[in-house]
Amino acid sequence: MHTREEKLEAFGRLLDVLDTLREKCPWDRKQTNESLRPNTIEETFELCDALLKNDTKNVCKELGDVFMHVCFYALIGSEKGEFDIADVCNIEADKLIFRHPHVYGEVKADTEDKVLQNWEQIKLKEKDGNKSVLAGVPASLPSLIKAYRIQDKARNAGFDWEDKGDVWAKVREELAELETELRCEDEEKSTQELGDFLFSVINAARLYHLNPDNALEYTNQKFIRRFNYIEKQAKEHGKMLKDMTLGEMDELWNEAKEMERKQ
């Protein structure tokens, strides 16, 4: 691993490269916060993909891309006379110190739960902090992740199940309400009840310390692998999927499942 001096030197090198590109590259010269935003979103998702795959090489690469965007926004801020990368770093360092009084102060927090509870309470007290516990959840988050963050923030404020096992009664209750509305063929109410059911399942996942987004993506990838196997086998036997019976596809699905089990 690199020394602290080498890390600072590498950071300075990246800033120098960005300064040069901003001055001499036609594409970099015309970029704005608005034009960069879609690329930033894409780079963030690419990083998330690498993290889910535990692809160390690409995690490093994608972190570089995301970090470059952070520095680029700071460069644009500097050009406008609003802030620069030093402000970004110092504000973040100050915030971390302020929100960790159990490390930098006299507050006691011996467990992860206590740290998170303190974190939310401290955020509410900050001069420029959120007025509501849930106001800090970005509106643009994907719905599944947003639901998890909403529940987690509510928990840190003390609003949570006393016994995590009790959540299953709620899950069953929401499922029953969904089934009732589906039988009534009321699309609007069925949609609402589906949302309530999904929210309760995500809540259960949180209580059992499972990440529902990671879990769903794991199943997405598993389905893709098995369905691709069905397509491949069908093609090798000169068949089209639309001409196959469900039983034939199920048989191939189970073959793919068995192959995964043996790996």
Side-chain angles (χ1 to χ4, degrees), residues 4-56:
R4 182 179 181 83
E5 289 73 21
E6 289 171 331
K7 294 173 184 176
L8 292 173
E9 182 179 354
F11 184 29
R13 178 171 176 246
L14 175 60
L15 296 180
D16 288 341
V17 169
L18 280 174
D19 285 341
T20 300
L21 293 177
R22 185 66 167 171
E23 177 185 353
K24 298 182 178 180
C25 174
W27 186 88
D28 288 277
R29 220 172 21 238
K30 68 179 291 187
Q31 296 312 305
T32 64
N33 287 337
E34 292 73 23
S35 67
L36 279 176
R37 182 177 175 274
N39 292 340
T40 305
I41 294 172
E42 181 179 347
E43 296 295 356
T44 302
F45 276 106
E46 288 178 356
L47 171 59
C48 290
D49 285 345
L51 289 168
L52 283 173
K53 295 174 183 175
N54 198 25
D55 186 342
T56 304

Side-chain angles (χ1 to χ4, degrees), residues 30-150:
K30 68 179 291 187
Q31 296 312 305
T32 64
N33 287 337
E34 292 73 23
S35 67
L36 279 176
R37 182 177 175 274
N39 292 340
T40 305
I41 294 172
E42 181 179 347
E43 296 295 356
T44 302
F45 276 106
E46 288 178 356
L47 171 59
C48 290
D49 285 345
L51 289 168
L52 283 173
K53 295 174 183 175
N54 198 25
D55 186 342
T56 304
K57 182 178 180 180
N58 271 324
V59 167
C60 182
K61 172 183 173 296
E62 299 301 340
L63 278 172
D65 290 341
V66 172
F67 188 48
M68 183 277 288
H69 277 246
V70 172
C71 294
F72 207 150
Y73 288 117
L75 177 57
I76 293 173
S78 177
E79 293 169 351
K80 295 179 178 179
E82 297 171 345
F83 62 89
D84 61 20
I85 193 65
D87 295 311
V88 173
C89 293
N90 283 326
I91 289 172
E92 185 64 21
D94 289 342
K95 181 172 67 177
L96 289 172
I97 291 170
F98 182 74
R99 293 185 183 176
H100 289 78
H102 55 288
V103 176
Y104 293 97
E106 304 300 323
V107 174
K108 299 295 182 182
D110 300 325
T111 66
E112 178 185 358
D113 285 346
K114 184 62 177 176
V115 170
L116 291 174
Q117 288 173 8
N118 287 345
W119 180 279
E120 294 298 335
Q121 294 301 319
I122 290 168
K123 286 172 68 174
L124 290 175
K125 294 177 182 177
E126 289 176 346
K127 181 178 180 180
D128 297 321
N130 300 313
K131 296 180 180 179
S132 166
V133 170
L134 301 182
V137 180
S140 58
L141 274 180
S143 296
L144 191 153
I145 299 174
K146 185 192 293 185
Y148 189 95
R149 293 294 294 132
I150 288 170

Side-chain angles (χ1 to χ4, degrees), residues 177-191:
E177 292 177 358
L178 170 60
E179 291 175 331
T180 297
E181 296 302 337
L182 288 171
R183 284 192 294 270
C184 294
E185 299 184 350
D186 187 319
E187 183 177 354
E188 182 177 351
K189 289 184 178 179
S190 294
T191 299

